[in-house]
Amino acid sequence: MHIEPGVVNGAKIVLSYATAVGAGGYAFRLAADTVRKQGAGSLALRTAATTLSVFTFFQMLPHFPVGVSEVHFIFGSTLFLIFGAAPAALGLALGLLLQGLFFVPTDLPQYGMNVTTLLVPLFAIGALAERIIPRHTAYVDLRYGQALSLSSAYQAGIIAWVAFWALYGAGLGVENLKSIAAFGASYALVIVIEPLVDLAVLALAKSLRGIFDGALVTPRLHHAG
């Protein structure tokens, strides 16, 4: 979901700075809450793990430009469920930034749009998790239906934000609508594969639960951090 250069130009790009500041501010609020409850060391360790994961997902896994954006595997909902909302949000933002700095500097002007596109759906599934998953549920105790709901909602949020940026930047022209449709059609591959991988990770954690005697169990599923 790397928005292609030129999709949003000129003064319009200022909106992406504003949304990124808002998303970043909320992420740091979650981080402060996590530090208060679990300590800075825990947050730092989990953020390092999510940052490395995101950087690997973006740089090493298959990705290709289609229409208004690139198609990527993100696994944001699984990062959220395993590591918590704050480490997942910080990892997504930092992993994306590192990739831009070291490998794709042409993506840096679109960083505000891209980080908004990644984080706002993450916060949305945090709110959804509050509704469908009892607080303090361990990762390995999740039901598959709950994990699938969060993964599907996250993917839908990504598509919605990509479409928003494209429509905001280039309007309702035929070519722009075709580009959005092309991205959406190609992203269908991610919509099919990524939730299945999310479920496979959960199944693996459940199968290894006895071996590691709870090591794969997050102490509590903090929807807010």
Side-chain angles (χ1 to χ4, degrees), residues 17-29:
Y17 304 151
T19 58
V21 168
Y26 189 72
F28 281 112
R29 176 184 170 187

Side-chain angles (χ1 to χ4, degrees), residues 43-116:
L43 175 65
L45 184 62
R46 286 184 287 157
T47 298
T50 56
T51 300
L52 178 61
S53 297
V54 170
F55 180 80
T56 301
F57 298 157
F58 285 166
Q59 191 61 33
M60 303 299 293
L61 294 183
H63 56 279
F64 45 91
V66 179
V68 296
S69 184
E70 284 191 359
V71 175
H72 276 274
F73 292 99
I74 306 169
F75 305 111
S77 63
T78 289
L79 293 175
F80 165 78
L81 290 171
I82 294 176
F83 296 104
L90 296 177
L92 285 166
L94 291 173
L96 179 68
L97 180 61
L98 289 175
Q99 188 201 30
L101 288 173
F102 292 106
F103 291 96
V104 197
T106 55
D107 278 342
L108 291 177
Q110 289 76 242
Y111 181 76
M113 285 176 277
N114 292 329
V115 80
T116 300

Side-chain angles (χ1 to χ4, degrees), residues 1 22 73 177 180 207:
M1 41 36 55
F73 292 99
L177 293 177
I180 295 171
S207 69

